[in-house]
């Protein structure tokens, strides 16, 4: 029987990029390409189209942060990345306008160290959207 032991590899730079982005979503702007694609967690059969471009992606991310009233936290459990792809598993938590928590899986595609595509995947995107909707004050 032959056993192979691998020496632990250094942390890939794209892993560090994702760790930075999940610690502070505003910092994604520093890592995305100008023509980045974002496949939203709330995409539907009726509207499956990704957001295209840095401005559209940043508007989407700022809208999410604003809707959560500064309470959004992404508890990262696992990150793996190489030169081409990255995956992040964790739990997205908000306390405003309603408290909610949902598991997520973010998938990422890189080119030359830049994020060029991202797929948001929330375990229960409709419940998250409902929690981000302010209560009706009528």
């Amino acid at each position: 029987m032959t056993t192979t032991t691998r020496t632990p590899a250094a942390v890939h730079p794209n892993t560090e990029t994702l760790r930075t982005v999940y610690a502070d979503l505003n910092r994604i702007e520093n890592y995305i390409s100008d023509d980045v694609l974002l496949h939203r967690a709330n995409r539907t059969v009726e509207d499956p189209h990704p957001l295209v471009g840095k401005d559209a992606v940043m508007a989407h991310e700022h809208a999410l942060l604003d809707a959560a009233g500064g309470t959004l936290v992404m508890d990262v459990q696992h990150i793996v990345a190489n030169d081409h792809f990255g995956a992040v598993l964790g739990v997205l938590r908000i306390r405003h306008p309603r408290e909610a928590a949902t598991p997520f899986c973010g998938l990422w595609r890189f080119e030359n160290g830049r994020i060029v595509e991202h797929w948001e995947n929330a375990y229960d995107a409709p419940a998250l959207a409902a929690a981000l909707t302010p209560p009706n004050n009528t």
Side-chain angles (χ1 to χ4, degrees), residues 2-123:
T2 304
T3 303
T4 312
T5 304
R6 290 181 152 198
T7 304
V11 175
H12 194 282
N14 290 339
T15 299
E16 290 304 318
T17 294
L18 293 174
R19 193 176 318 282
T20 299
V21 166
Y22 279 90
D24 181 358
L25 196 53
N26 284 304
R27 298 201 48 203
I28 192 172
E29 185 172 23
N30 299 326
Y31 301 98
I32 57 178
S33 67
D34 289 338
D35 58 351
V36 64
L37 298 175
L38 172 67
H39 305 271
R40 298 165 288 117
N42 62 347
R43 60 194 175 271
T44 63
V45 172
E46 297 79 23
D47 183 13
H49 305 290
L51 298 175
V52 179
K54 193 177 220 178
D55 290 342
V57 168
M58 291 312 301
H60 172 78
E61 301 301 354
H62 288 139
L64 174 61
L65 293 169
D66 290 347
T71 68
L72 181 129
V73 174
M74 289 184 273
D75 290 330
V76 172
Q77 298 167 333
H78 304 283
I79 299 178
V80 62
N82 62 21
D83 288 344
H84 311 287
F85 294 99
V88 181
L89 300 174
V91 178
L92 187 146
R93 302 176 193 284
I94 62 167
R95 292 188 321 271
H96 175 83
R98 296 181 179 96
E99 193 163 333
T102 191
F104 71 83
C105 175
L107 300 175
W108 304 81
R109 188 167 64 86
F110 293 89
E111 287 181 6
N112 302 314
R114 303 293 292 172
I115 296 167
V116 295
E117 197 163 10
H118 172 44
W119 292 262
E120 295 178 334
N121 297 288
Y123 184 77

